[in-house]
Structures are given as structure tokens and as C-alpha cells.
Amino acid sequence: MSTDPYLSVKALTKYIKKKFDADPHLRDVYVKGELSNVKIHTSGHIYFTLKDNAARLPAVMFAANARSVKFKPESGMTVLIRGDVTVYEASGQYQLYAQSMQSDGIGDYYLAFEQLKEKLAKEGLFNAAHKKRFPRFPKKIAVITAQTGAAVRDIIITLNRRYPLAKVVLYPTLVQGTGAAPSIVKSIQTANQGDYDVMIVGRGGGSIEDLWAFNEESVARAIFESRIPVISAIGHETDTTIADFVSDLRAATPTAAAELAVPSKTELLDRVLSYQSGMYRTIANVISKDKAALNRLTSSFPLAYPDRLYRPFIERIERATESLQRETVQQLNRSKERHSNLNNQLQSRVPLKRIKQSEMDIDNLSRRLNQGMDRSLRNNSQQLGSAMRTLDALSPLKIMDRGYSIPYKNGEVVKSISQVAKGDQIAISMTDGTVNATVEDTIPTSKGDS
């Protein structure tokens, strides 16, 4: 057994903590005080001090509990907190662990509403410059609301009654309770992928808790980012939500939203009839004025005596015709005279003498040419005859006529006895035929025989 009377700080702190934890009054306490030194950690935990005029109490609210707080805790707020008290060993301090927090004096929802309203207003989400224009005659309308209930019934009945030309598409949406805000956001984003002209976001009446999804920041931003003009129709006329501020148009009720979205076919028909009546009156007035103008014209002097209107022009035409004929005759005469003069000049300059002289020269040259050709032909004929006689005198046939012959051996002329030998067969060509002979002997010619 230890005899050391001193305790460690940790042991003493643990002892004190056990005392706190064992006290049933500290396990569930209700404390009212003013928030001070509020710090919201990125993890979602909220650290703060709860104080009054006489004391200060450190406190913390973990993220799991902080998510249920509708408003944003800020220093200076008086709040009602339920939680438990125990010792935080690391610092040796006792502190309050808050499980729930409510504002004192004003409701949590109202406080959260005002805080989000102020935040979005500062960002400009409610500015009129961001409000989109609505088409006068929408073709397709998207309705974001619950599939059942009075709101959807009132909207569809009113749209069909007032403007049946518009196509209405319902996006069934959860509009109350847990998951309502994500459902509304998803429906708005899905509808924006279609070719709608108008979007109605609404639901029927209810308490502020029932309508709270339309005060969520995610819903407000989805409406603001919508490409399609949005009409909010949430609750009754006295109910106002953040969605109403950020929408392009707010309607007091779902029925009013449908009336704002489309024109009334009855009003349109009345307007068409009014236009038709006005058009008839305008046409009648125009016809009446035109008739009066026509009467004035038909009774005017030019139309009453039209021959007097064009009489001067007839005289001018006749005079102009006479002048034209006279001028034409004069022009024709001048042309004839000029033609006659030119013809005389041409006749005086005809080159007949030169033509006759040229013809004589041509005849003389032709005659000389023929004479030269005749002489040339005679000379050439004489030269040809002389050449033929010379050629004939040199012909081997003429020589053979004088008793000469030509021996051949194997088709070749034998010019020497050296080309033949005894017994060779030779052919001797004469003027009147050929003699085939056999060589008996060859006798060379002596020099005295030549």
C-alpha cells in the first residue's frame, strides 16, 4: 500500500470528473445565458462561453447536435440550452456539453429565416435586376410540387381552365419534412434541362415547420440559378419564405400562381373580339373616306370633261407629226444628192486603162513564157536523144552483135582462163542464145597475139 499522500493532477482530475458524472443533477441540465466567444469549427463543432452578469461557463456543442440548430449562433444572443456538465480533463475545467439550443425571446425558425434572408440579400439574390421576364404566351410549364394535394390540383385546374394551349408537366416533389429541400432542388435542376417557358414552385399552406424546406439556402440558390422564370406559390398569402424573395415572381396561392403564369382565354377572346370590332370600324371608316374621295374625283372638272384635258396634246401631236414628215423628206433628199455626188466621183476614178494595160502585159508575158518552154523542151529532147544513142552504142548487146560472146561459170562472168580448168562446165551467152560447153584446155595468150 502506498504511503505517499500526494495525488497526481491527473488522478485528482479523474476523481473530480467521477464526482461530476455521478451527480444526476448534472447529467441533464437546462441553462439560460448569453453566448460569448462563439467559434464554429470547420468540423461543425461549436465552442462558446455561456455567461450572465455573475458567472461564465465554457461550453461546446458537437456537430451531430449542432446540425439540428436552425439558426447560426452568434455572440450576444440569449439562448436556452439543454445538456450535461462534466470535467474536461485536459484543461481541468468543468464545462457544459450542449445537446440542444434554442433562442430566447424569438423563435429559432424566425431567427434562422432572418439570418439567411440577410445573407442572401447582401449577396444580391433578391435584386430586381436578376428577375427574369415571363413570356406572355407560354407553351410549356413545369410544376414543382407534391403529386397529391390541393396545390397541384388547383394549379392544373386553373392552367387548363385559363389557357389549355400550354402543356403542363408535373415534377412530383417532396415539399415537407426531412429530404424535402434536396427533392425540391433536384426537381428544379431537372426541369431546367427541358424547354419550359415558366416554372411554378409551390405547396399548400401549413405551419412554418411545414414550409421550412422553402427557407433552406439550397432551395433559394436553386431557384436563383434557374434558367426558367420561377413563380413561387408557397402557403397562404400571409406566409413568406426565402423562396418567395429569390423567385422572379411571388404568388399568394398556388391558384394565383397559375393565373400569373398564363393569360385568360376569356380575356384573350374578349380582346380578339375587341380588336375585331375595332378593325371593322377602321375598315368602315376607310371605305367611307375612300368613297367620299372617289365622289370628289368623279365630279371634278378633269374627269367631268376629259376631252378638254387631252385636247391640247392632240394638237401638239399633229404638229409634231407634220414636222417629222417634213424633216424626213428633206433628209431623204439630202441623202440622195450626196449619193449622186459620190457616184459621179467614183465613176471618174475607175482604173479601166490600167486594167487594159495590165491585161496586155499579161498576154505578152504568157506568150514569151510559152516560147521559152518550147525551146527548153526541144533542147532537152535533143540532149536526151544524144545520151540514148551513146548509151545504146555502149550496150553489151550491140557488142555481141559484132560477134562477141560472154562465158559464165556458175553464173559468174569468166574474165580469165585462170577462173576455169579442164572439165569445167561453162555457159557461153550469145546474141541469139546460150551454148553449154566443157573446157578441154586453156591456152594463155602470148604478148604478140594481143
Side-chain angles (χ1 to χ4, degrees), residues 72-99:
K72 179 182 178 183
E74 295 177 350
S75 297
M77 291 181 176
T78 301
V79 297
L80 303 174
I81 292 179
R82 180 183 179 182
D84 61 281
V85 177
T86 186
V87 173
Y88 179 55
E89 297 178 53
S91 63
Q93 290 181 320
Y94 72 92
Q95 64 183 14
L96 174 65
Y97 289 83
Q99 298 172 3

PDB file of all heavy atoms in Angstrom, residues 72-99:
ATOM      1  N   LYS A  72     -27.942  30.404 -36.800  1.00  0.00           N
ATOM      2  CA  LYS A  72     -26.499  30.422 -36.612  1.00  0.00           C
ATOM      3  C   LYS A  72     -26.185  31.114 -35.290  1.00  0.00           C
ATOM      4  O   LYS A  72     -26.460  32.315 -35.125  1.00  0.00           O
ATOM      5  CB  LYS A  72     -25.847  31.189 -37.761  1.00  0.00           C
ATOM      6  CG  LYS A  72     -24.335  31.266 -37.634  1.00  0.00           C
ATOM      7  CD  LYS A  72     -23.768  32.093 -38.782  1.00  0.00           C
ATOM      8  CE  LYS A  72     -22.260  32.232 -38.640  1.00  0.00           C
ATOM      9  NZ  LYS A  72     -21.701  33.092 -39.719  1.00  0.00           N
ATOM     10  N   PRO A  73     -25.617  30.382 -34.339  1.00  0.00           N
ATOM     11  CA  PRO A  73     -25.315  31.012 -33.030  1.00  0.00           C
ATOM     12  C   PRO A  73     -24.307  32.139 -33.197  1.00  0.00           C
ATOM     13  O   PRO A  73     -23.304  31.988 -33.890  1.00  0.00           O
ATOM     14  CB  PRO A  73     -24.728  29.845 -32.220  1.00  0.00           C
ATOM     15  CG  PRO A  73     -25.245  28.607 -32.879  1.00  0.00           C
ATOM     16  CD  PRO A  73     -25.320  28.944 -34.346  1.00  0.00           C
ATOM     17  N   GLU A  74     -24.595  33.234 -32.541  1.00  0.00           N
ATOM     18  CA  GLU A  74     -23.709  34.394 -32.608  1.00  0.00           C
ATOM     19  C   GLU A  74     -23.562  34.985 -31.202  1.00  0.00           C
ATOM     20  O   GLU A  74     -24.476  34.883 -30.366  1.00  0.00           O
ATOM     21  CB  GLU A  74     -24.251  35.452 -33.566  1.00  0.00           C
ATOM     22  CG  GLU A  74     -24.302  34.984 -35.007  1.00  0.00           C
ATOM     23  CD  GLU A  74     -24.910  36.031 -35.917  1.00  0.00           C
ATOM     24  OE1 GLU A  74     -25.447  37.030 -35.376  1.00  0.00           O
ATOM     25  OE2 GLU A  74     -24.866  35.844 -37.144  1.00  0.00           O
ATOM     26  N   SER A  75     -22.425  35.609 -30.961  1.00  0.00           N
ATOM     27  CA  SER A  75     -22.187  36.237 -29.655  1.00  0.00           C
ATOM     28  C   SER A  75     -23.234  37.311 -29.387  1.00  0.00           C
ATOM     29  O   SER A  75     -23.601  38.068 -30.284  1.00  0.00           O
ATOM     30  CB  SER A  75     -20.778  36.837 -29.601  1.00  0.00           C
ATOM     31  OG  SER A  75     -19.802  35.826 -29.741  1.00  0.00           O
ATOM     32  N   GLY A  76     -23.712  37.355 -28.149  1.00  0.00           N
ATOM     33  CA  GLY A  76     -24.716  38.352 -27.791  1.00  0.00           C
ATOM     34  C   GLY A  76     -26.113  37.785 -27.747  1.00  0.00           C
ATOM     35  O   GLY A  76     -27.019  38.428 -27.173  1.00  0.00           O
ATOM     36  N   MET A  77     -26.328  36.631 -28.346  1.00  0.00           N
ATOM     37  CA  MET A  77     -27.652  36.020 -28.315  1.00  0.00           C
ATOM     38  C   MET A  77     -27.918  35.405 -26.945  1.00  0.00           C
ATOM     39  O   MET A  77     -27.028  34.820 -26.335  1.00  0.00           O
ATOM     40  CB  MET A  77     -27.765  34.917 -29.365  1.00  0.00           C
ATOM     41  CG  MET A  77     -27.770  35.395 -30.791  1.00  0.00           C
ATOM     42  SD  MET A  77     -27.935  33.975 -31.902  1.00  0.00           S
ATOM     43  CE  MET A  77     -28.020  34.820 -33.467  1.00  0.00           C
ATOM     44  N   THR A  78     -29.142  35.532 -26.499  1.00  0.00           N
ATOM     45  CA  THR A  78     -29.563  34.844 -25.272  1.00  0.00           C
ATOM     46  C   THR A  78     -30.236  33.536 -25.681  1.00  0.00           C
ATOM     47  O   THR A  78     -31.171  33.548 -26.493  1.00  0.00           O
ATOM     48  CB  THR A  78     -30.553  35.700 -24.471  1.00  0.00           C
ATOM     49  OG1 THR A  78     -29.916  36.939 -24.141  1.00  0.00           O
ATOM     50  CG2 THR A  78     -30.974  34.998 -23.199  1.00  0.00           C
ATOM     51  N   VAL A  79     -29.744  32.449 -25.150  1.00  0.00           N
ATOM     52  CA  VAL A  79     -30.212  31.147 -25.606  1.00  0.00           C
ATOM     53  C   VAL A  79     -30.603  30.276 -24.419  1.00  0.00           C
ATOM     54  O   VAL A  79     -30.214  30.517 -23.267  1.00  0.00           O
ATOM     55  CB  VAL A  79     -29.114  30.435 -26.433  1.00  0.00           C
ATOM     56  CG1 VAL A  79     -28.806  31.222 -27.688  1.00  0.00           C
ATOM     57  CG2 VAL A  79     -27.855  30.251 -25.601  1.00  0.00           C
ATOM     58  N   LEU A  80     -31.383  29.265 -24.765  1.00  0.00           N
ATOM     59  CA  LEU A  80     -31.780  28.243 -23.788  1.00  0.00           C
ATOM     60  C   LEU A  80     -31.097  26.947 -24.202  1.00  0.00           C
ATOM     61  O   LEU A  80     -31.277  26.485 -25.335  1.00  0.00           O
ATOM     62  CB  LEU A  80     -33.296  28.070 -23.788  1.00  0.00           C
ATOM     63  CG  LEU A  80     -34.110  29.343 -23.503  1.00  0.00           C
ATOM     64  CD1 LEU A  80     -35.599  29.058 -23.677  1.00  0.00           C
ATOM     65  CD2 LEU A  80     -33.829  29.863 -22.095  1.00  0.00           C
ATOM     66  N   ILE A  81     -30.317  26.388 -23.293  1.00  0.00           N
ATOM     67  CA  ILE A  81     -29.521  25.215 -23.626  1.00  0.00           C
ATOM     68  C   ILE A  81     -29.853  24.076 -22.684  1.00  0.00           C
ATOM     69  O   ILE A  81     -29.997  24.259 -21.464  1.00  0.00           O
ATOM     70  CB  ILE A  81     -28.012  25.553 -23.555  1.00  0.00           C
ATOM     71  CG1 ILE A  81     -27.649  26.527 -24.682  1.00  0.00           C
ATOM     72  CG2 ILE A  81     -27.167  24.278 -23.664  1.00  0.00           C
ATOM     73  CD1 ILE A  81     -26.205  26.945 -24.680  1.00  0.00           C
ATOM     74  N   ARG A  82     -29.948  22.901 -23.307  1.00  0.00           N
ATOM     75  CA  ARG A  82     -30.096  21.676 -22.518  1.00  0.00           C
ATOM     76  C   ARG A  82     -28.866  20.818 -22.778  1.00  0.00           C
ATOM     77  O   ARG A  82     -28.454  20.658 -23.932  1.00  0.00           O
ATOM     78  CB  ARG A  82     -31.351  20.925 -22.941  1.00  0.00           C
ATOM     79  CG  ARG A  82     -31.561  19.641 -22.166  1.00  0.00           C
ATOM     80  CD  ARG A  82     -32.797  18.888 -22.675  1.00  0.00           C
ATOM     81  NE  ARG A  82     -32.979  17.650 -21.934  1.00  0.00           N
ATOM     82  CZ  ARG A  82     -33.953  16.762 -22.189  1.00  0.00           C
ATOM     83  NH1 ARG A  82     -34.809  17.009 -23.209  1.00  0.00           N
ATOM     84  NH2 ARG A  82     -34.073  15.662 -21.461  1.00  0.00           N
ATOM     85  N   GLY A  83     -28.278  20.271 -21.688  1.00  0.00           N
ATOM     86  CA  GLY A  83     -27.086  19.461 -21.883  1.00  0.00           C
ATOM     87  C   GLY A  83     -26.653  18.822 -20.579  1.00  0.00           C
ATOM     88  O   GLY A  83     -27.473  18.591 -19.671  1.00  0.00           O
ATOM     89  N   ASP A  84     -25.389  18.542 -20.480  1.00  0.00           N
ATOM     90  CA  ASP A  84     -24.848  17.967 -19.253  1.00  0.00           C
ATOM     91  C   ASP A  84     -23.522  18.641 -18.942  1.00  0.00           C
ATOM     92  O   ASP A  84     -22.887  19.214 -19.830  1.00  0.00           O
ATOM     93  CB  ASP A  84     -24.652  16.457 -19.392  1.00  0.00           C
ATOM     94  CG  ASP A  84     -23.681  16.090 -20.483  1.00  0.00           C
ATOM     95  OD1 ASP A  84     -24.084  16.106 -21.675  1.00  0.00           O
ATOM     96  OD2 ASP A  84     -22.504  15.809 -20.169  1.00  0.00           O
ATOM     97  N   VAL A  85     -23.141  18.551 -17.647  1.00  0.00           N
ATOM     98  CA  VAL A  85     -21.915  19.211 -17.209  1.00  0.00           C
ATOM     99  C   VAL A  85     -20.930  18.149 -16.720  1.00  0.00           C
ATOM    100  O   VAL A  85     -21.310  17.259 -15.975  1.00  0.00           O
ATOM    101  CB  VAL A  85     -22.211  20.223 -16.082  1.00  0.00           C
ATOM    102  CG1 VAL A  85     -20.901  20.863 -15.583  1.00  0.00           C
ATOM    103  CG2 VAL A  85     -23.198  21.264 -16.533  1.00  0.00           C
ATOM    104  N   THR A  86     -19.708  18.275 -17.186  1.00  0.00           N
ATOM    105  CA  THR A  86     -18.665  17.354 -16.721  1.00  0.00           C
ATOM    106  C   THR A  86     -17.328  18.052 -16.823  1.00  0.00           C
ATOM    107  O   THR A  86     -17.249  19.238 -17.219  1.00  0.00           O
ATOM    108  CB  THR A  86     -18.663  16.057 -17.563  1.00  0.00           C
ATOM    109  OG1 THR A  86     -17.723  15.137 -16.976  1.00  0.00           O
ATOM    110  CG2 THR A  86     -18.287  16.339 -18.991  1.00  0.00           C
ATOM    111  N   VAL A  87     -16.273  17.340 -16.473  1.00  0.00           N
ATOM    112  CA  VAL A  87     -14.938  17.931 -16.434  1.00  0.00           C
ATOM    113  C   VAL A  87     -14.175  17.541 -17.702  1.00  0.00           C
ATOM    114  O   VAL A  87     -14.177  16.381 -18.105  1.00  0.00           O
ATOM    115  CB  VAL A  87     -14.165  17.454 -15.189  1.00  0.00           C
ATOM    116  CG1 VAL A  87     -12.714  17.943 -15.235  1.00  0.00           C
ATOM    117  CG2 VAL A  87     -14.841  17.928 -13.930  1.00  0.00           C
ATOM    118  N   TYR A  88     -13.542  18.550 -18.282  1.00  0.00           N
ATOM    119  CA  TYR A  88     -12.649  18.295 -19.413  1.00  0.00           C
ATOM    120  C   TYR A  88     -11.257  18.143 -18.824  1.00  0.00           C
ATOM    121  O   TYR A  88     -10.645  19.114 -18.343  1.00  0.00           O
ATOM    122  CB  TYR A  88     -12.706  19.471 -20.410  1.00  0.00           C
ATOM    123  CG  TYR A  88     -11.794  19.291 -21.600  1.00  0.00           C
ATOM    124  CD1 TYR A  88     -11.878  18.145 -22.395  1.00  0.00           C
ATOM    125  CD2 TYR A  88     -10.866  20.266 -21.927  1.00  0.00           C
ATOM    126  CE1 TYR A  88     -11.052  17.985 -23.489  1.00  0.00           C
ATOM    127  CE2 TYR A  88     -10.030  20.118 -23.018  1.00  0.00           C
ATOM    128  CZ  TYR A  88     -10.125  18.971 -23.807  1.00  0.00           C
ATOM    129  OH  TYR A  88      -9.290  18.804 -24.886  1.00  0.00           O
ATOM    130  N   GLU A  89     -10.768  16.906 -18.810  1.00  0.00           N
ATOM    131  CA  GLU A  89      -9.560  16.591 -18.058  1.00  0.00           C
ATOM    132  C   GLU A  89      -8.321  17.323 -18.572  1.00  0.00           C
ATOM    133  O   GLU A  89      -7.443  17.685 -17.800  1.00  0.00           O
ATOM    134  CB  GLU A  89      -9.314  15.075 -18.114  1.00  0.00           C
ATOM    135  CG  GLU A  89     -10.420  14.274 -17.448  1.00  0.00           C
ATOM    136  CD  GLU A  89     -10.178  12.784 -17.553  1.00  0.00           C
ATOM    137  OE1 GLU A  89      -9.091  12.325 -17.167  1.00  0.00           O
ATOM    138  OE2 GLU A  89     -11.075  12.074 -18.062  1.00  0.00           O
ATOM    139  N   ALA A  90      -8.245  17.538 -19.840  1.00  0.00           N
ATOM    140  CA  ALA A  90      -7.026  18.142 -20.402  1.00  0.00           C
ATOM    141  C   ALA A  90      -6.784  19.528 -19.843  1.00  0.00           C
ATOM    142  O   ALA A  90      -5.638  19.942 -19.626  1.00  0.00           O
ATOM    143  CB  ALA A  90      -7.141  18.209 -21.920  1.00  0.00           C
ATOM    144  N   SER A  91      -7.872  20.281 -19.599  1.00  0.00           N
ATOM    145  CA  SER A  91      -7.711  21.633 -19.065  1.00  0.00           C
ATOM    146  C   SER A  91      -8.095  21.722 -17.597  1.00  0.00           C
ATOM    147  O   SER A  91      -7.893  22.765 -16.967  1.00  0.00           O
ATOM    148  CB  SER A  91      -8.576  22.622 -19.870  1.00  0.00           C
ATOM    149  OG  SER A  91      -9.937  22.284 -19.732  1.00  0.00           O
ATOM    150  N   GLY A  92      -8.678  20.670 -17.067  1.00  0.00           N
ATOM    151  CA  GLY A  92      -9.083  20.683 -15.673  1.00  0.00           C
ATOM    152  C   GLY A  92     -10.259  21.594 -15.417  1.00  0.00           C
ATOM    153  O   GLY A  92     -10.479  22.043 -14.291  1.00  0.00           O
ATOM    154  N   GLN A  93     -11.038  21.880 -16.450  1.00  0.00           N
ATOM    155  CA  GLN A  93     -12.186  22.764 -16.294  1.00  0.00           C
ATOM    156  C   GLN A  93     -13.470  21.957 -16.456  1.00  0.00           C
ATOM    157  O   GLN A  93     -13.531  20.999 -17.233  1.00  0.00           O
ATOM    158  CB  GLN A  93     -12.156  23.853 -17.364  1.00  0.00           C
ATOM    159  CG  GLN A  93     -11.034  24.867 -17.175  1.00  0.00           C
ATOM    160  CD  GLN A  93     -11.093  25.934 -18.252  1.00  0.00           C
ATOM    161  OE1 GLN A  93     -11.367  25.612 -19.403  1.00  0.00           O
ATOM    162  NE2 GLN A  93     -10.842  27.163 -17.866  1.00  0.00           N
ATOM    163  N   TYR A  94     -14.427  22.362 -15.733  1.00  0.00           N
ATOM    164  CA  TYR A  94     -15.737  21.767 -15.998  1.00  0.00           C
ATOM    165  C   TYR A  94     -16.393  22.626 -17.072  1.00  0.00           C
ATOM    166  O   TYR A  94     -16.177  23.840 -17.143  1.00  0.00           O
ATOM    167  CB  TYR A  94     -16.595  21.679 -14.732  1.00  0.00           C
ATOM    168  CG  TYR A  94     -17.115  23.001 -14.223  1.00  0.00           C
ATOM    169  CD1 TYR A  94     -18.367  23.492 -14.627  1.00  0.00           C
ATOM    170  CD2 TYR A  94     -16.360  23.771 -13.321  1.00  0.00           C
ATOM    171  CE1 TYR A  94     -18.840  24.689 -14.157  1.00  0.00           C
ATOM    172  CE2 TYR A  94     -16.819  24.970 -12.864  1.00  0.00           C
ATOM    173  CZ  TYR A  94     -18.081  25.436 -13.283  1.00  0.00           C
ATOM    174  OH  TYR A  94     -18.542  26.628 -12.827  1.00  0.00           O
ATOM    175  N   GLN A  95     -17.189  22.010 -17.921  1.00  0.00           N
ATOM    176  CA  GLN A  95     -17.841  22.751 -18.995  1.00  0.00           C
ATOM    177  C   GLN A  95     -19.164  22.082 -19.346  1.00  0.00           C
ATOM    178  O   GLN A  95     -19.409  20.916 -19.027  1.00  0.00           O
ATOM    179  CB  GLN A  95     -16.945  22.861 -20.228  1.00  0.00           C
ATOM    180  CG  GLN A  95     -16.605  21.569 -20.890  1.00  0.00           C
ATOM    181  CD  GLN A  95     -15.657  21.774 -22.077  1.00  0.00           C
ATOM    182  OE1 GLN A  95     -15.063  22.832 -22.254  1.00  0.00           O
ATOM    183  NE2 GLN A  95     -15.508  20.741 -22.893  1.00  0.00           N
ATOM    184  N   LEU A  96     -19.945  22.865 -20.018  1.00  0.00           N
ATOM    185  CA  LEU A  96     -21.284  22.432 -20.411  1.00  0.00           C
ATOM    186  C   LEU A  96     -21.215  21.825 -21.810  1.00  0.00           C
ATOM    187  O   LEU A  96     -20.680  22.430 -22.728  1.00  0.00           O
ATOM    188  CB  LEU A  96     -22.237  23.646 -20.400  1.00  0.00           C
ATOM    189  CG  LEU A  96     -23.647  23.397 -20.917  1.00  0.00           C
ATOM    190  CD1 LEU A  96     -24.413  22.425 -20.016  1.00  0.00           C
ATOM    191  CD2 LEU A  96     -24.407  24.723 -21.022  1.00  0.00           C
ATOM    192  N   TYR A  97     -21.768  20.617 -21.954  1.00  0.00           N
ATOM    193  CA  TYR A  97     -21.860  19.960 -23.249  1.00  0.00           C
ATOM    194  C   TYR A  97     -23.304  20.095 -23.738  1.00  0.00           C
ATOM    195  O   TYR A  97     -24.198  19.403 -23.243  1.00  0.00           O
ATOM    196  CB  TYR A  97     -21.453  18.491 -23.153  1.00  0.00           C
ATOM    197  CG  TYR A  97     -19.956  18.326 -22.914  1.00  0.00           C
ATOM    198  CD1 TYR A  97     -19.422  18.424 -21.620  1.00  0.00           C
ATOM    199  CD2 TYR A  97     -19.091  18.083 -23.973  1.00  0.00           C
ATOM    200  CE1 TYR A  97     -18.063  18.298 -21.420  1.00  0.00           C
ATOM    201  CE2 TYR A  97     -17.729  17.944 -23.772  1.00  0.00           C
ATOM    202  CZ  TYR A  97     -17.209  18.062 -22.503  1.00  0.00           C
ATOM    203  OH  TYR A  97     -15.866  17.939 -22.291  1.00  0.00           O
ATOM    204  N   ALA A  98     -23.520  21.013 -24.654  1.00  0.00           N
ATOM    205  CA  ALA A  98     -24.886  21.330 -25.100  1.00  0.00           C
ATOM    206  C   ALA A  98     -25.397  20.276 -26.093  1.00  0.00           C
ATOM    207  O   ALA A  98     -24.681  19.865 -27.009  1.00  0.00           O
ATOM    208  CB  ALA A  98     -24.915  22.711 -25.762  1.00  0.00           C
ATOM    209  N   GLN A  99     -26.614  19.862 -25.855  1.00  0.00           N
ATOM    210  CA  GLN A  99     -27.256  18.904 -26.766  1.00  0.00           C
ATOM    211  C   GLN A  99     -28.300  19.586 -27.660  1.00  0.00           C
ATOM    212  O   GLN A  99     -28.574  19.136 -28.750  1.00  0.00           O
ATOM    213  CB  GLN A  99     -27.908  17.786 -25.952  1.00  0.00           C
ATOM    214  CG  GLN A  99     -26.905  16.998 -25.132  1.00  0.00           C
ATOM    215  CD  GLN A  99     -27.568  16.024 -24.172  1.00  0.00           C
ATOM    216  OE1 GLN A  99     -28.799  15.897 -24.156  1.00  0.00           O
ATOM    217  NE2 GLN A  99     -26.767  15.352 -23.362  1.00  0.00           N
TER     218      GLN A  99
END
